[in-house]
Amino acid sequence: MTTYAGELLIHDTDSHLMEPVDWLASYADSSVAAKLRDLSLLGGGDAATHELVEQCWARRDDPEETAKLAADVVGGPKGYFAYGSMDANERVGALDQLGFASQLVFTTFAHTQFHARGDVDLAYGGASAHNRGIADFCSVDPRLLGVAFVPLEDPQRTLECAREAIEVGCRAAWIPHGVPTATSPTHPDFDPLWALLSEADVPVLMHLGPNGGNKLPKTYHNNGRVPGKDFVGGGENMRSKDFLNLYHDAENLLACMVLDGIFEKFPDLRCGLIELGAGWVPNLLRSLDNSVKAFGRHEPELSKLTMAPSDYIRRQVRFTPWHFEDVGWLVANSGPELYLFSSDWPHPEGGRDPIAEFQASFTAAGLSGGVTAPFWAGNASFLLGV
């Protein structure tokens, strides 16, 4: 069988489940399910969302339409209408055709129904439901690696949530990277979390989403001009000026983890920044090193670092470039050990042919063979322990 990956060994570090409307509630305790926000995708309320998802489910009852989708996963529709977007067994068939050796699986909308609403019980109850659900979806094939969501509101409950996620089979822990409301995730109270993840060989991940400050303040959009469509063709998602800001909160958290000694204290802790781009990474490496040069004599915590800050990044952190970024330049100028392939499948923003775009960038930079192999597989193998 000819696959999309062809002869390349590829570990895909970003893919998604398009959740059915009742997916999260079906895994939640009754007290949590009653609090969950309705999933509304089309701006027309929950009824419009139900109608969209039901259309996708109904397709499974049409053998001819299903066979047509299954025959061309790569060239077919994206989003909810993609083959394998919601059905776990279909997803196995889609992965067979994509040809990836493994695939990290994030949810798409579930965390918006319980996270960042000021209800700690809902945050952790919703996360537990989410984690049970994503582990169940991925249980049909060992190539599917479920990503847990782990809130940071309370260090002890965070530890319990992460432990439960590992026990049910999740293979990575997604943490929110928005501005902390009270305590930094680098506070010693969170050390048990980093110890648990290190010992369990489970990476910590940050990912594009509403748990971080992805958008420019709305007042900048009050500019007297026609806004046009957003990043994926709608009206309320992301626009060009938002795009320039989406990684800043994650960059801040990552820098704090370096400078506050998290990677020094937990050298086996691995970290991935997913769907946040990577063009900013070379400057981060320089800025971290310069910050120690400038402040190292005055801040006692910095004197505890035994390596240059950028070396912690190289040792323990990996990044996914956007499919339209010049990954060849990134590898040539900051090293082949930092970057990961991701498809974002079945989200449309992952592009139609990310492999070809990345290959073209490598070719333009004169890179091939052993230099590019870590991007496709080796760096992900390190990050995921696969």
Side-chain angles (χ1 to χ4, degrees), residues 50-108:
H50 272 278
E51 183 177 350
L52 168 68
V53 176
E54 285 305 315
Q55 289 177 23
C56 299
W57 276 140
R59 186 269 305 155
R60 295 186 305 170
D61 299 326
D62 183 335
E64 184 176 341
E65 186 65 24
T66 297
K68 186 188 304 181
L69 280 179
D72 188 12
V73 169
V74 177
K78 293 289 189 78
Y80 272 101
F81 289 94
Y83 183 74
S85 67
M86 294 191 293
D87 183 283
N89 291 316
E90 285 189 354
R91 184 56 164 264
V92 173
L95 188 54
D96 288 340
Q97 195 172 135
L98 291 167
F100 301 142
S102 71
Q103 191 172 60
L104 273 177
V105 184
F106 297 80
T107 57
T108 300

Short mmCIF file of all heavy atoms in Angstrom, two decimals, residues 50-108:
data_model
loop_
_atom_site.label_atom_id
_atom_site.label_comp_id
_atom_site.label_asym_id
_atom_site.label_seq_id
_atom_site.Cartn_x
_atom_site.Cartn_y
_atom_site.Cartn_z
N HIS A 50 -25.12 20.41 16.73
CA HIS A 50 -25.68 19.06 16.67
C HIS A 50 -25.96 18.65 15.23
O HIS A 50 -25.67 17.52 14.82
CB HIS A 50 -26.96 18.98 17.50
CG HIS A 50 -26.73 18.65 18.94
ND1 HIS A 50 -26.55 17.38 19.40
CD2 HIS A 50 -26.65 19.46 20.03
CE1 HIS A 50 -26.37 17.39 20.71
NE2 HIS A 50 -26.43 18.65 21.12
N GLU A 51 -26.53 19.58 14.46
CA GLU A 51 -26.87 19.27 13.07
C GLU A 51 -25.62 18.95 12.25
O GLU A 51 -25.60 18.00 11.46
CB GLU A 51 -27.62 20.45 12.46
CG GLU A 51 -28.09 20.18 11.03
CD GLU A 51 -28.89 21.34 10.46
OE1 GLU A 51 -29.25 22.26 11.23
OE2 GLU A 51 -29.14 21.33 9.24
N LEU A 52 -24.56 19.75 12.45
CA LEU A 52 -23.32 19.51 11.73
C LEU A 52 -22.75 18.13 12.07
O LEU A 52 -22.38 17.36 11.18
CB LEU A 52 -22.29 20.59 12.09
CG LEU A 52 -20.85 20.32 11.64
CD1 LEU A 52 -20.74 20.38 10.13
CD2 LEU A 52 -19.88 21.29 12.28
N VAL A 53 -22.65 17.83 13.36
CA VAL A 53 -22.05 16.57 13.77
C VAL A 53 -22.90 15.39 13.33
O VAL A 53 -22.38 14.35 12.91
CB VAL A 53 -21.82 16.57 15.29
CG1 VAL A 53 -21.29 15.21 15.76
CG2 VAL A 53 -20.83 17.67 15.67
N GLU A 54 -24.21 15.53 13.40
CA GLU A 54 -25.09 14.45 12.95
C GLU A 54 -24.92 14.17 11.45
O GLU A 54 -25.01 13.02 11.01
CB GLU A 54 -26.54 14.78 13.27
CG GLU A 54 -26.89 14.64 14.74
CD GLU A 54 -26.56 13.25 15.29
OE1 GLU A 54 -26.89 12.25 14.62
OE2 GLU A 54 -25.95 13.17 16.37
N GLN A 55 -24.67 15.20 10.68
CA GLN A 55 -24.39 14.99 9.25
C GLN A 55 -23.16 14.12 9.07
O GLN A 55 -23.13 13.23 8.21
CB GLN A 55 -24.17 16.34 8.55
CG GLN A 55 -25.40 17.19 8.39
CD GLN A 55 -25.07 18.52 7.74
OE1 GLN A 55 -24.05 18.67 7.05
NE2 GLN A 55 -25.89 19.53 7.98
N CYS A 56 -22.16 14.36 9.88
CA CYS A 56 -20.92 13.58 9.77
C CYS A 56 -21.13 12.15 10.22
O CYS A 56 -20.62 11.21 9.60
CB CYS A 56 -19.82 14.24 10.61
SG CYS A 56 -19.42 15.92 10.07
N TRP A 57 -21.87 11.96 11.31
CA TRP A 57 -22.16 10.60 11.77
C TRP A 57 -23.00 9.85 10.73
O TRP A 57 -22.81 8.65 10.50
CB TRP A 57 -22.92 10.62 13.09
CG TRP A 57 -22.11 10.75 14.34
CD1 TRP A 57 -22.44 11.50 15.42
CD2 TRP A 57 -20.88 10.11 14.69
NE1 TRP A 57 -21.49 11.38 16.41
CE2 TRP A 57 -20.53 10.53 15.99
CE3 TRP A 57 -20.03 9.23 14.02
CZ2 TRP A 57 -19.37 10.09 16.63
CZ3 TRP A 57 -18.87 8.80 14.66
CH2 TRP A 57 -18.56 9.22 15.95
N ALA A 58 -23.96 10.54 10.11
CA ALA A 58 -24.84 9.89 9.14
C ALA A 58 -24.05 9.35 7.95
O ALA A 58 -24.44 8.35 7.35
CB ALA A 58 -25.91 10.88 8.67
N ARG A 59 -22.96 9.99 7.62
CA ARG A 59 -22.15 9.51 6.50
C ARG A 59 -21.68 8.08 6.70
O ARG A 59 -21.56 7.31 5.74
CB ARG A 59 -20.96 10.47 6.33
CG ARG A 59 -20.10 10.20 5.11
CD ARG A 59 -18.96 9.25 5.41
NE ARG A 59 -18.15 9.73 6.51
CZ ARG A 59 -17.44 8.92 7.27
NH1 ARG A 59 -17.45 7.61 7.10
NH2 ARG A 59 -16.71 9.42 8.27
N ARG A 60 -21.44 7.68 7.93
CA ARG A 60 -20.99 6.31 8.19
C ARG A 60 -22.01 5.26 7.75
O ARG A 60 -21.66 4.11 7.49
CB ARG A 60 -20.68 6.11 9.67
CG ARG A 60 -19.53 6.95 10.20
CD ARG A 60 -19.21 6.57 11.63
NE ARG A 60 -20.39 6.66 12.49
CZ ARG A 60 -20.45 6.22 13.74
NH1 ARG A 60 -19.39 5.65 14.28
NH2 ARG A 60 -21.55 6.36 14.46
N ASP A 61 -23.28 5.66 7.68
CA ASP A 61 -24.33 4.73 7.26
C ASP A 61 -24.48 4.66 5.75
O ASP A 61 -25.35 3.94 5.24
CB ASP A 61 -25.67 5.15 7.89
CG ASP A 61 -25.61 5.12 9.41
OD1 ASP A 61 -24.92 4.24 9.96
OD2 ASP A 61 -26.27 5.98 10.04
N ASP A 62 -23.66 5.42 5.05
CA ASP A 62 -23.69 5.42 3.58
C ASP A 62 -22.42 4.73 3.09
O ASP A 62 -21.36 5.36 3.01
CB ASP A 62 -23.75 6.86 3.08
CG ASP A 62 -23.86 6.95 1.55
OD1 ASP A 62 -23.43 6.01 0.86
OD2 ASP A 62 -24.36 7.98 1.05
N PRO A 63 -22.48 3.44 2.75
CA PRO A 63 -21.27 2.70 2.36
C PRO A 63 -20.54 3.32 1.18
O PRO A 63 -19.31 3.33 1.15
CB PRO A 63 -21.81 1.30 2.02
CG PRO A 63 -23.11 1.20 2.75
CD PRO A 63 -23.68 2.57 2.76
N GLU A 64 -21.26 3.85 0.23
CA GLU A 64 -20.63 4.41 -0.96
C GLU A 64 -19.84 5.68 -0.61
O GLU A 64 -18.69 5.84 -1.03
CB GLU A 64 -21.69 4.74 -2.00
CG GLU A 64 -21.12 5.26 -3.32
CD GLU A 64 -22.19 5.48 -4.37
OE1 GLU A 64 -23.29 4.91 -4.23
OE2 GLU A 64 -21.92 6.23 -5.33
N GLU A 65 -20.45 6.55 0.18
CA GLU A 65 -19.77 7.79 0.56
C GLU A 65 -18.58 7.49 1.47
O GLU A 65 -17.51 8.11 1.36
CB GLU A 65 -20.75 8.73 1.25
CG GLU A 65 -20.18 10.11 1.57
CD GLU A 65 -19.83 10.90 0.33
OE1 GLU A 65 -20.40 10.64 -0.74
OE2 GLU A 65 -18.95 11.79 0.42
N THR A 66 -18.75 6.53 2.37
CA THR A 66 -17.67 6.16 3.27
C THR A 66 -16.49 5.57 2.51
O THR A 66 -15.33 5.89 2.79
CB THR A 66 -18.17 5.15 4.32
OG1 THR A 66 -19.18 5.78 5.12
CG2 THR A 66 -17.05 4.68 5.22
N ALA A 67 -16.79 4.71 1.53
CA ALA A 67 -15.72 4.13 0.72
C ALA A 67 -14.97 5.19 -0.06
O ALA A 67 -13.74 5.14 -0.22
CB ALA A 67 -16.29 3.08 -0.23
N LYS A 68 -15.69 6.20 -0.53
CA LYS A 68 -15.06 7.29 -1.29
C LYS A 68 -14.09 8.06 -0.39
O LYS A 68 -12.96 8.38 -0.80
CB LYS A 68 -16.14 8.23 -1.83
CG LYS A 68 -15.61 9.31 -2.75
CD LYS A 68 -16.69 10.33 -3.09
CE LYS A 68 -17.91 9.66 -3.70
NZ LYS A 68 -18.95 10.67 -4.06
N LEU A 69 -14.51 8.37 0.84
CA LEU A 69 -13.64 9.08 1.77
C LEU A 69 -12.43 8.24 2.15
O LEU A 69 -11.30 8.72 2.21
CB LEU A 69 -14.41 9.45 3.03
CG LEU A 69 -15.31 10.68 3.00
CD1 LEU A 69 -15.99 10.85 4.33
CD2 LEU A 69 -14.52 11.92 2.65
N ALA A 70 -12.67 6.96 2.40
CA ALA A 70 -11.59 6.07 2.83
C ALA A 70 -10.54 5.88 1.75
O ALA A 70 -9.37 5.61 2.05
CB ALA A 70 -12.16 4.72 3.26
N ALA A 71 -10.94 6.03 0.49
CA ALA A 71 -10.02 5.81 -0.62
C ALA A 71 -9.03 6.95 -0.80
O ALA A 71 -7.98 6.78 -1.42
CB ALA A 71 -10.80 5.61 -1.91
N ASP A 72 -9.35 8.13 -0.26
CA ASP A 72 -8.46 9.29 -0.45
C ASP A 72 -8.48 10.15 0.81
O ASP A 72 -9.07 11.23 0.83
CB ASP A 72 -8.89 10.09 -1.67
CG ASP A 72 -7.90 11.20 -2.02
OD1 ASP A 72 -6.79 11.19 -1.45
OD2 ASP A 72 -8.24 12.06 -2.85
N VAL A 73 -7.84 9.67 1.86
CA VAL A 73 -7.81 10.40 3.12
C VAL A 73 -7.07 11.73 2.97
O VAL A 73 -7.51 12.76 3.47
CB VAL A 73 -7.14 9.54 4.21
CG1 VAL A 73 -6.85 10.36 5.46
CG2 VAL A 73 -8.02 8.34 4.55
N VAL A 74 -5.95 11.72 2.26
CA VAL A 74 -5.12 12.91 2.13
C VAL A 74 -5.81 13.99 1.31
O VAL A 74 -5.79 15.18 1.65
CB VAL A 74 -3.75 12.57 1.52
CG1 VAL A 74 -2.92 13.83 1.32
CG2 VAL A 74 -3.02 11.58 2.43
N GLY A 75 -6.44 13.60 0.23
CA GLY A 75 -7.07 14.57 -0.64
C GLY A 75 -8.50 14.89 -0.30
O GLY A 75 -9.11 15.76 -0.92
N GLY A 76 -9.06 14.21 0.69
CA GLY A 76 -10.45 14.40 1.06
C GLY A 76 -10.67 15.63 1.92
O GLY A 76 -9.75 16.42 2.18
N PRO A 77 -11.89 15.80 2.42
CA PRO A 77 -12.21 16.97 3.24
C PRO A 77 -11.50 16.94 4.57
O PRO A 77 -11.05 15.89 5.04
CB PRO A 77 -13.73 16.86 3.41
CG PRO A 77 -14.04 15.41 3.24
CD PRO A 77 -13.06 14.91 2.23
N LYS A 78 -11.39 18.09 5.21
CA LYS A 78 -10.79 18.22 6.52
C LYS A 78 -11.87 18.51 7.56
O LYS A 78 -13.04 18.61 7.26
CB LYS A 78 -9.74 19.34 6.52
CG LYS A 78 -8.50 19.07 5.67
CD LYS A 78 -7.63 18.01 6.29
CE LYS A 78 -6.29 17.87 5.59
NZ LYS A 78 -5.34 18.92 5.96
N GLY A 79 -11.45 18.66 8.81
CA GLY A 79 -12.38 18.96 9.89
C GLY A 79 -13.27 17.78 10.20
O GLY A 79 -12.89 16.61 10.07
N TYR A 80 -14.49 18.06 10.63
CA TYR A 80 -15.42 17.00 11.01
C TYR A 80 -15.72 16.04 9.86
O TYR A 80 -16.00 14.87 10.08
CB TYR A 80 -16.74 17.61 11.51
CG TYR A 80 -16.75 17.91 12.99
CD1 TYR A 80 -16.56 19.21 13.45
CD2 TYR A 80 -16.91 16.90 13.92
CE1 TYR A 80 -16.55 19.50 14.81
CE2 TYR A 80 -16.92 17.17 15.29
CZ TYR A 80 -16.73 18.47 15.72
OH TYR A 80 -16.73 18.73 17.07
N PHE A 81 -15.65 16.52 8.63
CA PHE A 81 -16.02 15.69 7.49
C PHE A 81 -14.90 14.78 7.02
O PHE A 81 -15.08 14.00 6.10
CB PHE A 81 -16.50 16.58 6.34
CG PHE A 81 -17.84 17.22 6.60
CD1 PHE A 81 -17.92 18.49 7.14
CD2 PHE A 81 -19.02 16.53 6.33
CE1 PHE A 81 -19.15 19.08 7.40
CE2 PHE A 81 -20.25 17.11 6.58
CZ PHE A 81 -20.33 18.39 7.13
N ALA A 82 -13.74 14.84 7.64
CA ALA A 82 -12.63 13.97 7.27
C ALA A 82 -12.91 12.53 7.71
O ALA A 82 -13.55 12.28 8.73
CB ALA A 82 -11.34 14.46 7.89
N TYR A 83 -12.38 11.60 6.96
CA TYR A 83 -12.49 10.18 7.33
C TYR A 83 -11.66 9.94 8.59
O TYR A 83 -10.47 10.26 8.64
CB TYR A 83 -11.97 9.31 6.19
CG TYR A 83 -12.12 7.83 6.44
CD1 TYR A 83 -13.36 7.22 6.35
CD2 TYR A 83 -11.01 7.04 6.75
CE1 TYR A 83 -13.50 5.85 6.57
CE2 TYR A 83 -11.14 5.68 6.97
CZ TYR A 83 -12.38 5.09 6.88
OH TYR A 83 -12.52 3.74 7.12
N GLY A 84 -12.30 9.41 9.63
CA GLY A 84 -11.59 9.15 10.88
C GLY A 84 -11.51 10.32 11.82
O GLY A 84 -10.78 10.26 12.81
N SER A 85 -12.26 11.38 11.55
CA SER A 85 -12.18 12.56 12.43
C SER A 85 -12.79 12.29 13.80
O SER A 85 -12.34 12.85 14.80
CB SER A 85 -12.89 13.75 11.78
OG SER A 85 -14.30 13.52 11.70
N MET A 86 -13.83 11.40 13.85
CA MET A 86 -14.53 11.14 15.11
C MET A 86 -14.54 9.67 15.49
O MET A 86 -14.64 9.34 16.66
CB MET A 86 -15.98 11.64 15.02
CG MET A 86 -16.13 13.13 14.91
SD MET A 86 -17.86 13.65 15.12
CE MET A 86 -18.63 12.97 13.65
N ASP A 87 -14.49 8.80 14.51
CA ASP A 87 -14.62 7.36 14.74
C ASP A 87 -13.24 6.73 14.89
O ASP A 87 -12.38 6.85 14.00
CB ASP A 87 -15.37 6.74 13.56
CG ASP A 87 -15.61 5.26 13.74
OD1 ASP A 87 -14.66 4.47 13.55
OD2 ASP A 87 -16.75 4.88 14.08
N ALA A 88 -13.00 6.05 16.01
CA ALA A 88 -11.66 5.51 16.31
C ALA A 88 -11.24 4.45 15.30
O ALA A 88 -10.07 4.42 14.88
CB ALA A 88 -11.63 4.94 17.72
N ASN A 89 -12.15 3.58 14.91
CA ASN A 89 -11.78 2.53 13.95
C ASN A 89 -11.49 3.10 12.57
O ASN A 89 -10.57 2.65 11.89
CB ASN A 89 -12.90 1.48 13.88
CG ASN A 89 -13.01 0.68 15.16
OD1 ASN A 89 -12.00 0.27 15.72
ND2 ASN A 89 -14.22 0.47 15.64
N GLU A 90 -12.25 4.12 12.17
CA GLU A 90 -11.91 4.81 10.93
C GLU A 90 -10.55 5.48 11.03
O GLU A 90 -9.80 5.54 10.06
CB GLU A 90 -12.98 5.86 10.59
CG GLU A 90 -14.28 5.29 10.05
CD GLU A 90 -15.21 6.37 9.53
OE1 GLU A 90 -14.90 7.57 9.69
OE2 GLU A 90 -16.25 6.00 8.96
N ARG A 91 -10.23 5.98 12.21
CA ARG A 91 -8.96 6.68 12.38
C ARG A 91 -7.79 5.72 12.12
O ARG A 91 -6.75 6.14 11.57
CB ARG A 91 -8.85 7.24 13.79
CG ARG A 91 -7.62 8.08 14.06
CD ARG A 91 -7.49 9.26 13.06
NE ARG A 91 -6.56 10.24 13.53
CZ ARG A 91 -6.90 11.33 14.19
NH1 ARG A 91 -8.16 11.59 14.47
NH2 ARG A 91 -5.99 12.19 14.59
N VAL A 92 -7.94 4.47 12.50
CA VAL A 92 -6.89 3.49 12.22
C VAL A 92 -6.68 3.37 10.71
O VAL A 92 -5.55 3.34 10.22
CB VAL A 92 -7.25 2.13 12.83
CG1 VAL A 92 -6.24 1.06 12.40
CG2 VAL A 92 -7.30 2.22 14.35
N GLY A 93 -7.77 3.31 9.96
CA GLY A 93 -7.66 3.25 8.50
C GLY A 93 -7.04 4.50 7.91
O GLY A 93 -6.24 4.43 6.97
N ALA A 94 -7.39 5.65 8.48
CA ALA A 94 -6.78 6.90 8.01
C ALA A 94 -5.29 6.91 8.28
O ALA A 94 -4.48 7.32 7.44
CB ALA A 94 -7.46 8.09 8.70
N LEU A 95 -4.89 6.43 9.45
CA LEU A 95 -3.47 6.40 9.80
C LEU A 95 -2.72 5.43 8.90
O LEU A 95 -1.56 5.68 8.52
CB LEU A 95 -3.31 6.02 11.27
CG LEU A 95 -1.91 6.12 11.87
CD1 LEU A 95 -1.31 7.50 11.65
CD2 LEU A 95 -1.94 5.79 13.35
N ASP A 96 -3.35 4.31 8.54
CA ASP A 96 -2.73 3.38 7.59
C ASP A 96 -2.40 4.09 6.28
O ASP A 96 -1.33 3.88 5.70
CB ASP A 96 -3.67 2.21 7.30
CG ASP A 96 -3.79 1.24 8.46
OD1 ASP A 96 -2.91 1.24 9.34
OD2 ASP A 96 -4.79 0.49 8.50
N GLN A 97 -3.31 4.92 5.82
CA GLN A 97 -3.09 5.61 4.55
C GLN A 97 -2.10 6.77 4.68
O GLN A 97 -1.32 7.02 3.77
CB GLN A 97 -4.43 6.12 4.00
CG GLN A 97 -4.34 6.52 2.53
CD GLN A 97 -5.70 6.84 1.93
OE1 GLN A 97 -5.85 7.83 1.24
NE2 GLN A 97 -6.69 6.02 2.21
N LEU A 98 -2.12 7.43 5.81
CA LEU A 98 -1.15 8.49 6.04
C LEU A 98 0.26 7.92 6.16
O LEU A 98 1.23 8.53 5.75
CB LEU A 98 -1.51 9.29 7.29
CG LEU A 98 -2.77 10.16 7.19
CD1 LEU A 98 -3.20 10.64 8.57
CD2 LEU A 98 -2.54 11.34 6.26
N GLY A 99 0.37 6.75 6.79
CA GLY A 99 1.65 6.06 6.86
C GLY A 99 2.58 6.54 7.95
O GLY A 99 3.78 6.29 7.89
N PHE A 100 2.04 7.23 8.96
CA PHE A 100 2.88 7.69 10.06
C PHE A 100 3.09 6.57 11.06
O PHE A 100 2.18 5.80 11.37
CB PHE A 100 2.23 8.88 10.77
CG PHE A 100 1.98 10.07 9.87
CD1 PHE A 100 0.83 10.83 10.01
CD2 PHE A 100 2.89 10.42 8.89
CE1 PHE A 100 0.59 11.92 9.19
CE2 PHE A 100 2.67 11.51 8.06
CZ PHE A 100 1.51 12.26 8.21
N ALA A 101 4.31 6.50 11.62
CA ALA A 101 4.63 5.44 12.58
C ALA A 101 3.89 5.63 13.90
O ALA A 101 3.62 4.66 14.61
CB ALA A 101 6.13 5.40 12.83
N SER A 102 3.60 6.87 14.26
CA SER A 102 2.79 7.17 15.43
C SER A 102 2.19 8.55 15.24
O SER A 102 2.61 9.30 14.35
CB SER A 102 3.62 7.11 16.72
OG SER A 102 4.51 8.21 16.79
N GLN A 103 1.22 8.86 16.09
CA GLN A 103 0.53 10.14 15.95
C GLN A 103 0.02 10.58 17.32
O GLN A 103 -0.79 9.89 17.95
CB GLN A 103 -0.64 9.99 14.97
CG GLN A 103 -1.28 11.28 14.53
CD GLN A 103 -2.30 11.06 13.42
OE1 GLN A 103 -3.26 10.32 13.62
NE2 GLN A 103 -2.10 11.69 12.28
N LEU A 104 0.52 11.71 17.80
CA LEU A 104 -0.06 12.31 19.00
C LEU A 104 -1.46 12.79 18.68
O LEU A 104 -1.69 13.40 17.62
CB LEU A 104 0.78 13.50 19.46
CG LEU A 104 1.97 13.25 20.38
CD1 LEU A 104 2.70 14.56 20.64
CD2 LEU A 104 1.52 12.63 21.69
N VAL A 105 -2.40 12.55 19.59
CA VAL A 105 -3.79 12.93 19.36
C VAL A 105 -4.25 13.87 20.47
O VAL A 105 -4.34 13.49 21.63
CB VAL A 105 -4.70 11.69 19.30
CG1 VAL A 105 -6.14 12.13 18.97
CG2 VAL A 105 -4.21 10.69 18.26
N PHE A 106 -4.54 15.11 20.09
CA PHE A 106 -5.14 16.10 20.96
C PHE A 106 -6.64 16.17 20.65
O PHE A 106 -7.07 15.88 19.54
CB PHE A 106 -4.56 17.50 20.70
CG PHE A 106 -3.10 17.66 20.99
CD1 PHE A 106 -2.13 17.24 20.09
CD2 PHE A 106 -2.69 18.28 22.15
CE1 PHE A 106 -0.78 17.42 20.34
CE2 PHE A 106 -1.33 18.48 22.42
CZ PHE A 106 -0.38 18.04 21.52
N THR A 107 -7.43 16.61 21.61
CA THR A 107 -8.80 16.96 21.28
C THR A 107 -8.79 18.34 20.63
O THR A 107 -7.77 19.03 20.59
CB THR A 107 -9.69 16.98 22.53
OG1 THR A 107 -9.14 17.88 23.49
CG2 THR A 107 -9.82 15.59 23.12
N THR A 108 -9.95 18.76 20.14
CA THR A 108 -10.06 20.04 19.45
C THR A 108 -10.77 21.08 20.30
O THR A 108 -10.26 22.18 20.51
CB THR A 108 -10.79 19.87 18.11
OG1 THR A 108 -10.05 18.95 17.28
CG2 THR A 108 -10.92 21.20 17.38
#
